[in-house]
Amino acid sequence: MRGLLASSVGVTGAAALALSLTSPAVAARTVSPAAVRPASGAEAPGSTQSLPLAPLAPRDVTPAPADEQGLPRRDVRHFSLAGVIWDDPDTELHGRVQIRTRAAGTHTWSGWQDLEAHNDDTADPGTAERTSGRVHGATAPLWVGDSDGVEVRVRAEADRRAGDMAPGSRTVTATAPLPKGLRLELVDPGESAPASTRQEAATAGAPHRAVALRSAPTPEPGEDPASMDTSLPTAEPPEDPASMDASAANAGLADAGDLEIPALDRQQTEQELFALRAGELTERQRTKPYIGPRPRIVTRRGWGADEGLRERKFVYTKKVKAAFVHHTASGNGYRCTQVPSLIRGIYRYHVKSMGWRDIGYNFLVDKCGNIYEGRAGGVAKAVLGAHTLGFNTNSVGIAVVGSYGSKKPPAAVTNAVARLAAWKLGLYGGNPKGKTYLKSGGGNRYPKGKKVRLNVISGHRDGFATECPGRQLYRKLGSTRTTAARLQGR
């Protein structure tokens, strides 16, 4: 079995082994932000086309052109994910954003699709990530599949009000101005490295990946051996330091470079808990560790993260007291085999277009129930995310890939969210059916500094006035709490 555990590992031995691990309790609480590091070596896979929007041609109907911007139908380089950004992250877009796309290599155009204009997943006010000077306002991204043509329109929302207070006064229509600097972002998530290449990992404790040697060439029949390349075998380049850091953050759960963190049964999970957090467990946790079996988690390497995009350092908080459930609002028209590509697209959009230090969510779950590692720093650690404005500290963000306002989430989704929450909350003694207090960092629902009583498993809308995680997914949170508590043995 990979990782720390064998069935014979006991609490004493595991506690000693845990001394070599980085614990959230002893890790630095804040890390100075580093500049986003460019990818080393050859051009990183994936790209972003950033196209400015402009007032559309005059129409015979209101609103006026200044209140309707867009991009006429045009050919573009291949992309699979799209969103609209603007200059000021504190400015809201009051209007409708629509896009239509052409499937690559065809003449087939989609109908108009809406982009969620109120994208409320973001870092807390006043944090280094929020005040970096790189952050933009943005819609939620939309997955459209491989496309090479696009058209977009942004229409300001009409505000109808009485012109004056006199009897019989007429109603006038006004529009709020659109945000400045509107741009269409077209993201090509790129191709991930082949699984065979990504599976190559460092040997235990070694600073670099094991060297793979090129086999000596064999002459073809009739070929002159003297004409062949007989130079010494070459070694693959050393593992990128940022990739090594991302893998090392999961030390004790999987071997460096693994594509996934395997599932454990309850006994193995309890043993792992004692190993990872031996010095921080309460007496009650030592006696009865309420924790769900660890689910299978696809690592960042597994979904092909380009570690050169994100900021190098990790930022941790003290603990995980609550889990906020989200949806990505990126649409449901994806196949589960496409999810690694989709996540790479969201990751690039969050970092390169929106200006965040990394992907905002701590975990993502697809409609087939697969669980993916999100923000780097270690799946068992209290990594500070950018998912619930005002409540990122001491919480974890779990995003379901898709849109669940009108569509009901499959059972595979709710079961996966329950399994993940039962394990992650159990690491820190959280009861999925309980309540907890979090201090607001500021937002549109609670003022900064207010202590708010929340469900341990909450929806995004519980901490911020938003539609997220969608009405249908939000309705399932009650049964999700019950299932997660049962998995913990409560």
Side-chain angles (χ1 to χ4, degrees):
M1 184 185 72
R2 296 191 184 103
L4 287 176
L5 300 175
S7 58
S8 61
V9 174
V11 175
T12 302
L17 184 55
L19 294 176
S20 64
L21 301 176
T22 302
S23 168
V26 297
R29 299 294 180 235
T30 59
V31 180
S32 299
V36 175
R37 188 174 59 83
S40 60
E43 182 180 354
S47 64
T48 301
Q49 302 171 69
S50 186
L51 307 175
L53 304 189
L56 295 176
R59 292 166 169 250
D60 295 331
V61 296
T62 57
D67 299 317
E68 182 175 359
Q69 296 187 31
L71 192 73
R73 184 181 294 192
R74 62 179 292 178
D75 297 336
V76 292
R77 298 195 311 273
H78 283 232
F79 71 98
S80 297
L81 182 135
V84 170
I85 66 171
W86 54 92
D87 293 343
D88 186 355
D90 295 319
T91 298
E92 293 186 11
L93 193 161
H94 296 285
R96 189 175 188 183
V97 184
Q98 293 182 298
I99 189 172
R100 58 188 305 190
T101 57
R102 184 183 62 206
T106 74
H107 298 288
T108 303
W109 285 81
S110 71
W112 286 105
Q113 300 182 77
D114 287 293
L115 276 69
E116 176 55 60
H118 303 292
N119 185 9
D120 303 313
D121 305 325
T122 188
D124 288 348
T127 61
E129 183 168 10
R130 179 76 175 185
T131 59
S132 67
R134 298 189 302 269
V135 179
H136 293 95
T139 68
L142 180 69
W143 177 260
V144 296
D146 189 17
S147 304
D148 60 10
V150 69
E151 183 179 4
V152 67
R153 64 191 183 196
V154 181
R155 292 176 176 172
E157 185 177 66
D159 180 16
R160 299 177 63 85
R161 66 185 67 156
D164 57 55
M165 299 302 293
S169 60
R170 64 188 179 88
T171 298
V172 297
T173 300
T175 55
L178 292 172
K180 294 181 179 179
L182 288 169
R183 302 184 70 86
L184 174 65
E185 302 285 289
L186 302 177
V187 180
D188 171 12
E191 294 297 326
S192 177
S196 59
T197 300
R198 289 186 280 120
Q199 182 63 71
E200 293 172 354
T203 54
H208 297 293
R209 186 171 51 181
V211 173
L213 299 180
R214 181 166 52 84
S215 300
T218 301
E220 294 293 334
E223 183 178 11
D224 181 6
S227 67
M228 299 180 60
D229 177 10
T230 58
S231 58
L232 292 175
T234 59
E236 290 188 358
E239 184 78 19
D240 179 77
S243 297
M244 293 174 64
D245 290 346
S247 288
N250 288 316
L253 284 74
D255 294 332
D258 277 357
L259 304 184
E260 65 178 54
I261 297 169
L264 299 180
D265 62 26
R266 180 181 296 278
Q267 181 181 7
Q268 292 168 337
T269 303
E270 290 182 1
Q271 293 170 349
E272 179 183 73
L273 172 65
F274 294 135
L276 293 174
R277 309 196 68 243
E280 305 161 61
L281 300 179
T282 64
E283 186 60 37
R284 183 175 181 178
Q285 283 179 290
R286 293 189 185 94
T287 304
K288 179 59 178 177
Y290 290 106
I291 185 169
R294 187 181 77 193
R296 171 184 172 270
I297 302 171
V298 178
T299 64
R300 289 173 65 90
R301 182 178 286 260
W303 55 261
D306 175 6
E307 301 296 353
L309 291 180
R310 64 172 174 84
E311 289 184 3
R312 180 71 181 274
K313 299 295 183 180
F314 307 137
V315 183
Y316 300 104
T317 60
K318 292 182 179 180
K319 59 183 70 175
V320 176
K321 298 174 64 177
F324 285 99
V325 178
H326 305 254
H327 68 169
T328 61
S330 51
N332 302 313
Y334 66 87
R335 300 186 303 274
C336 290
T337 54
Q338 295 177 306
V339 172
S341 182
L342 200 163
I343 295 176
R344 291 197 303 276
I346 294 174
Y347 171 42
R348 177 173 284 271
Y349 185 71
H350 281 185
V351 176
K352 303 296 287 185
S353 300
M354 297 181 66
W356 296 353
R357 67 190 315 274
D358 193 352
I359 192 170
Y361 310 115
N362 298 104
F363 296 93
L364 299 98
V365 175
D366 69 23
K367 61 186 178 183
C368 294
N370 298 303
I371 300 170
Y372 300 83
E373 177 183 13
R375 180 161 288 205
V379 297
K381 299 175 184 177
V383 178
L384 178 67
H387 50 83
T388 306
L389 181 65
F391 293 99
N392 290 302
T393 297
N394 295 336
S395 70
V396 60
I398 302 171
V400 178
V401 180
S403 302
Y404 290 98
S406 59
K407 183 177 178 59
K408 294 181 179 180
V413 164
T414 54
N415 289 337
V417 172
R419 293 197 310 274
L420 176 58
W423 171 71
K424 182 71 176 185
L425 293 169
L427 291 170
Y428 296 86
N431 180 355
K433 293 182 70 175
K435 305 277 188 179
T436 191
Y437 282 91
L438 292 178
K439 182 185 290 187
S440 172
N444 67 0
R445 193 178 184 111
Y446 299 104
K448 183 176 182 179
K450 182 177 178 59
K451 290 186 177 180
V452 182
R453 190 168 185 256
L454 294 162
N455 288 308
V456 169
I457 296 180
S458 286
H460 185 182
R461 64 176 63 181
D462 294 322
F464 193 89
T466 175
E467 291 297 314
C468 184
R471 180 171 57 89
Q472 295 292 348
L473 181 55
Y474 188 77
R475 291 177 58 187
K476 294 292 185 179
L477 293 188
S479 59
T480 299
R481 297 181 188 108
T482 300
T483 302
R486 175 178 55 79
L487 290 169
Q488 286 190 345
R490 296 181 186 272

